[in-house]
Amino acid sequence: MPVVDEPNTGRLSLNSLSPFEPSRGPVTHATRSSFLSPEAIHDTATHPAINGQLINQTLPIIRPPALPTRRNVSPFDDAHLAPHEKQSSSTESYSSSQSTSDNESNSTDPSPVASSSSLSVNSRLPPKPPPRHHASLPQHQPSPQSSVSPPPLPARKATAEQTPSRRPNPSPDAVSTASGLTASLVSPPERKTFGSLPPPPTRTIALGDKLPPPRRPVASGSGSSSESEDEELKLKQDLLPDSSRSSRRPPVFQGHFSTELNIHIPTYAAIVAVSGNIVAVAAHHRLKIYDLTESDIPVHDLDARDIGLEMKSKELRITAMEFRPPEKDFHSARYLWAGTKEGHLLEIDVQSGSLAGMKLVAHAHQITHMFRYKRSMASMDNAGKVLVFTADSGGSVSLAYTQSRVVRIADKQEFVKVLAGQLWTSARESNNGPVGAASRGPVVRIYDIFSPAGIGKSVLPTEHLGTVTSGTMLASQPGVVFLGHEGGHVSIWSVPAGDALPQCEEIIKVSTSDILCLEGVNDRLWAGGRQGMIAAYDIVPRPWIMTNSWRAHEKLPVLSLVVDTYGIERMDRLCVYSIGRDERLRFWDGFLALDWIDQELLRRDKEFSSFRDMNVLIVSWNLDSSKPEALSGTPENVNFLSDALHSVDSPDMIVFGLQELIDLESRKMAAKTVLLGAKNKNADGSISQRVSTAYKKWFDRLVQAVRLAMPADTPYTVIHTESLVGLFSCIFVKNTEKISLKQTAITTIKRGMGGRYGNKGGIVCRFIVDDSSICLINCHLAAGQNHARQRNADIAAILEDKSVFPETIMDHDMVAYVNGGDGSMVLDHELVFINGDMNYRIDLRRDAIIADIKTGNVSHLLSQDQLLKEMANNRGFRLRSFTEGKITFSPTYKYDRFSNEYDTSEKRRAPAWCDRILWRCNDKDRVEQLHYRRYEVNVSDHRPISGGFRIRVKSVRHDARERIKAEVQGLWMGREKELLATARRFYIEHIL
């Protein structure tokens, strides 16, 4: 090993490791002294003075090997050592390297000069450090007679490409010397080898460094999500409110001259304040005042010169606005306080458009917020300075005459709002802060700024949540504060009287996206999200119920959601306005009057409607690409279609839903279907000759079966046929019922390959019978034992598609549809039936399932059925509002073809009820299931099923409905007065 003299240091050091030493990572002085090269061992052992006095003088400076480094601490960082340990470490490294250098010098120069040089070097060594106190490490005392040699090198696994070493063999004396030192020194831990590969890399994390993100669990199986991810997603979905019955009709406010207002609100640059019909919009350097009783053209368009500020400020940059408390009542709310970027406070008369007062440079920084509480006003800048203006008893607050009081709070607070008479604030957490299961946040700071003796308080939620974005209170729960967070959570805080700290009582997950704004309106909690949706929640039941959900701003975030408190007296209405990134200002009815009236009419529909019964037969079967001619041989195969058609007495409507009509693994067949599928029907609705032969054969066989099974004097007509790769739907109705059908439509929804391919998806058909809307869905969902998550997503995509059908424009308020819909979505219809191969499995082992089937223990299998478990436990499951009949038959999947044995192939798939029929109706008394059964047809790997139903369709007497509606509207006017009185008391006590 070459030895060099380090310049200007007066000491010797090693220049490099031996080429025969394997890679050991960063090499320190300690490692260099502990692991000598074979050449150094040989040279030291053959030196003539190795057994003399020189070795006795050199050995005492050898120290035991350094202690192993602490976890997550770099080997080059000794900042964590105590002072005496630092000295010990440095001395040890110096002495070890010096000893090695001495030995190297002796091996090259046998003269007495070498000995004297070694002695002179040893005389310059620092004093011996105090001994270490480590009980786990035995104290090592080398004997003067022991030979010095490093431990042997770990063996490296030889490979075919390696050449034999040319290093000369050491002498017997060197071997004995090396073995003596090996016995006296502590051997390092042996590194694990991986064949010819180097050891795996390691990652060193120093104290105070940010921990890396946790590794994601490896997915189990090919292309499927891991069980932990599925459980986490399922847990999040279980926490969501029930949205199955929410109305999607926008509650448009009717109190202004028009419901469509053209008021431009520049994104992130505009400030809005509303007082009844008066709207103030400050953007850039201008202030516009609107009177919405007349038009959406501004009555005042002001700049710095118009209000007399041209000598004080170059331009008018308003950054906060609020109407000041009125002198007598709500009607006199005409003065607007405004804060500017330069820190000025202005008081503007909105009726005349003139400046009523000002306080220049009231703040040294930009004013960010303006608050109104009872008879006080407050302004806040981004440095944490708050000016509070409180009117004298009997007087009104004025910017020109009222003295201000300074309150200091934390700076750079993103969320700021007055709640329960106190200022609630919260800042965005730093990314460098601790994050973990045990951490809690964000910090919420509460200040009593309206009390001169008030003090600040800090509280934390019970678990770690996202940044606070908004907060509100409800009139129905005056002692509770609701905070909205990023991540879709709402934290609920109880506010006790006095100086006691608010307590976080509960945390509710309401959305999978962020909550950007939150407002308490009457007894509903309104929340705005990133997709432009506003949702209203009934918070009394558990879980919460989403009563309304509508698109307020076109697929862009809702930035602000505010109750117009002055509108209660100025217009006798409760108005809510929202601002979105679409730069639109929209107004909503806070009492949701239209929904209240619709619910009351639905409850009294028997007073203006007549009902009649219809029999419906639904047959569902996964064919596994079987041909019609395969229905032969056994009586069950031959008589299947006849038996199914006779399972319901004289059905008025027959629905066939087939899946996998073609071989989905055949590229030729799938391509042919994709190319010709768009032209598969004639003008009269019958199937085209250009479509695949398989579809044509099954269509002809179904038509023949219906003609043979039904009486000759009761003909049927095909009203809809549609195909989607392997799906095929064919719907028959009696000729006597065809004249009562209207608004018929049919479409397809693709779900395979992210919505680009139709091997999975659904065929959706709808029509109106009399005044009842009916929707029929034939679907084929994602397969796989562990893919319930994908199946849920397929169902959600089918049911929540916003434009499945074109919007329907009908007279008489579109009485055929429900939940405020217009017929463009599936759930707008009164009656919805869904059938098909849904692929939901049983969460049991195959052997256990077959054992239960043989013993007839169907109830145990149903308790582990994925579909029933999702409907019972998953609040976000879109089929939660659907109903399924009682299952009394064995699982319909998967059989060996032409056999009664469940799958005996290599995959040995577990049996399951993949084939299902469900329905949904707001009035459960209007649907009665006649039967739910399976058929023993063995030409496919699925058994077909059928369901018979008796449904009640309505015919509305529109003149009677208008009379009942007028009565309901009269009842609403009385109800609205009661709600206004309650809201007035609440806002006067907590805000005004």
Side-chain angles (χ1 to χ4, degrees), residues 59-341:
L59 284 175
I61 66 172
I62 298 177
R63 299 287 181 261
L67 293 175
T69 57
R70 298 181 183 180
R71 184 176 295 178
N72 295 342
V73 179
S74 172
F76 297 101
D77 187 9
D78 61 355
H80 62 285
L81 297 177
H84 71 277
E85 291 177 331
K86 294 181 182 180
Q87 184 181 7
S88 174
S89 177
S90 61
T91 304
E92 194 172 318
S93 299
Y94 177 82
S95 60
S96 299
S97 62
Q98 184 63 37
S99 174
T100 307
S101 301
D102 292 344
N103 291 336
E104 291 289 342
S105 300
N106 293 338
S107 65
T108 56
D109 188 5
S111 64
V113 179
S115 177
S116 62
S117 176
S118 299
L119 293 175
S120 63
V121 172
N122 292 334
S123 65
R124 295 195 300 270
L125 290 176
K128 184 178 180 180
R132 299 182 181 178
H133 301 285
H134 293 285
S136 61
L137 182 65
Q139 194 72 16
H140 174 67
Q141 297 295 339
S143 173
Q145 287 79 18
S146 63
S147 300
V148 180
S149 177
L153 297 175
R156 176 178 292 180
K157 187 176 181 179
T159 60
E161 292 81 3
Q162 289 179 335
T163 59
S165 173
R166 298 180 181 179
R167 178 171 54 86
N169 295 329
S171 64
D173 294 338
V175 174
S176 62
T177 303
S179 62
L181 183 60
T182 303
S184 61
L185 295 178
V186 179
S187 301
E190 182 178 314
R191 295 174 64 90
K192 185 177 181 180
T193 59
F194 296 84
S196 60
L197 299 176
T202 59
R203 179 168 51 188
T204 302
I205 304 173
L207 290 175
D209 289 355
K210 185 179 179 181
L211 293 177
R215 295 179 179 178
R216 293 174 61 100
V218 181
S220 60
S222 175
S224 63
S225 302
S226 66
E227 294 182 3
S228 59
E229 289 180 342
D230 290 341
E231 291 298 327
E232 181 180 358
L233 178 70
K234 187 174 180 179
L235 180 60
K236 291 180 180 180
Q237 290 176 337
D238 290 349
L239 298 176
L240 294 177
D242 185 2
S243 60
S244 59
R245 305 279 182 182
S246 62
S247 172
R248 65 188 190 94
R249 177 197 292 120
V252 179
F253 185 70
Q254 305 288 341
H256 301 314
F257 83 99
S258 174
T259 57
E260 293 294 331
L261 303 175
N262 187 22
I263 300 179
H264 181 241
I265 310 294
T267 304
Y268 300 118
I271 308 297
V272 178
V274 177
S275 175
N277 289 310
I278 304 300
V279 178
V281 179
H284 305 299
H285 62 283
R286 307 196 69 84
L287 173 64
K288 298 181 180 181
I289 309 296
Y290 299 85
D291 186 356
L292 298 184
T293 58
E294 301 175 358
S295 69
D296 53 6
I297 300 176
V299 295
H300 299 292
D301 191 353
L302 310 175
D303 60 8
R305 179 176 299 178
D306 296 330
I307 60 178
L309 287 180
E310 70 276 5
M311 300 300 295
K312 307 295 181 180
S313 180
K314 294 181 180 180
E315 59 182 15
L316 185 64
R317 293 297 300 271
I318 295 177
T319 54
M321 288 192 307
E322 185 59 270
F323 283 93
R324 80 172 199 189
E327 298 179 0
K328 297 181 180 180
D329 53 26
F330 290 123
H331 297 282
S332 59
R334 55 178 289 186
Y335 292 100
L336 179 70
W337 280 34
T340 68
K341 183 179 180 181

Side-chain angles (χ1 to χ4, degrees), residues 957-969:
R957 300 188 302 273
H958 295 284
D959 54 346
R961 185 178 184 275
E962 290 298 325
R963 184 177 64 256
I964 299 298
K965 185 176 181 179
E967 295 178 8
V968 171
Q969 289 175 338

Side-chain angles (χ1 to χ4, degrees), residues 341-604:
K341 183 179 180 181
E342 295 80 11
H344 307 322
L345 286 176
L346 311 175
E347 186 173 283
I348 303 170
D349 186 347
V350 297
Q351 291 187 1
S352 61
S354 60
L355 186 65
M358 64 178 175
K359 188 179 288 293
L360 298 178
V361 198
H363 291 262
H365 300 82
Q366 174 179 324
I367 299 174
T368 57
H369 296 84
M370 196 80 66
F371 313 105
R372 175 183 77 246
Y373 178 68
K374 294 187 177 180
R375 312 297 295 180
S376 300
M377 289 289 292
S379 60
M380 173 184 167
D381 60 28
N382 55 14
K385 177 183 176 181
V386 180
L387 292 181
V388 181
F389 301 80
T390 303
D392 298 333
S393 58
S396 61
V397 64
S398 171
L399 187 59
Y401 304 106
T402 304
Q403 294 295 323
S404 62
R405 176 171 49 86
V406 179
V407 179
R408 290 288 181 179
I409 68 170
D411 60 347
K412 297 180 181 179
Q413 301 294 297
E414 290 199 5
F415 162 70
V416 182
K417 190 171 184 178
V418 175
L419 299 169
Q422 296 179 321
L423 187 66
W424 290 57
T425 69
S426 182
R428 181 174 294 275
E429 290 185 304
S430 173
N431 293 333
N432 296 328
V435 177
S439 63
R440 294 165 58 190
V443 178
V444 179
R445 295 179 172 87
I446 306 169
Y447 303 91
D448 190 0
I449 62 173
F450 299 106
S451 175
I455 59 174
K457 296 169 283 189
S458 296
V459 294
L460 287 169
T462 55
E463 62 183 75
H464 187 82
L465 300 174
T467 301
V468 179
T469 59
S470 51
T472 189
M473 298 182 69
L474 277 175
S476 58
Q477 300 188 23
V480 179
V481 169
F482 301 86
L483 298 182
H485 299 261
E486 291 182 354
H489 291 90
V490 174
S491 57
I492 305 174
W493 303 75
S494 62
V495 183
D499 295 333
L501 286 175
Q503 299 293 325
C504 182
E505 301 290 345
E506 190 177 4
I507 295 174
I508 302 293
K509 176 79 170 180
V510 301
S511 174
T512 57
S513 180
D514 297 336
I515 297 178
L516 300 184
C517 45
L518 199 67
E519 191 62 82
V521 186
N522 190 25
D523 59 347
R524 296 286 189 269
L525 193 65
W526 290 26
R530 292 196 176 276
Q531 298 299 319
M533 302 295 294
I534 296 179
Y537 299 97
D538 183 0
I539 65 171
V540 175
R542 289 294 187 274
W544 288 6
I545 296 177
M546 182 191 293
T547 59
N548 300 77
S549 178
W550 69 95
R551 189 172 299 281
H553 300 273
E554 191 61 32
K555 296 184 179 180
L556 292 172
V558 183
L559 302 179
S560 179
L561 195 60
V562 184
V563 172
D564 175 20
T565 53
Y566 282 119
I568 298 175
E569 289 289 344
R570 295 175 69 93
M571 299 183 297
D572 287 330
R573 302 287 297 274
L574 182 61
C575 177
V576 183
Y577 64 90
S578 65
I579 303 171
R581 272 191 57 185
D582 59 351
E583 301 185 341
R584 298 292 301 274
L585 173 66
R586 296 188 177 275
F587 294 88
W588 314 106
D589 178 17
F591 288 139
L592 306 174
L594 293 179
D595 292 311
W596 190 92
I597 294 174
D598 279 354
Q599 292 297 325
E600 194 67 17
L601 286 174
L602 182 61
R603 189 178 63 87
R604 301 176 58 178

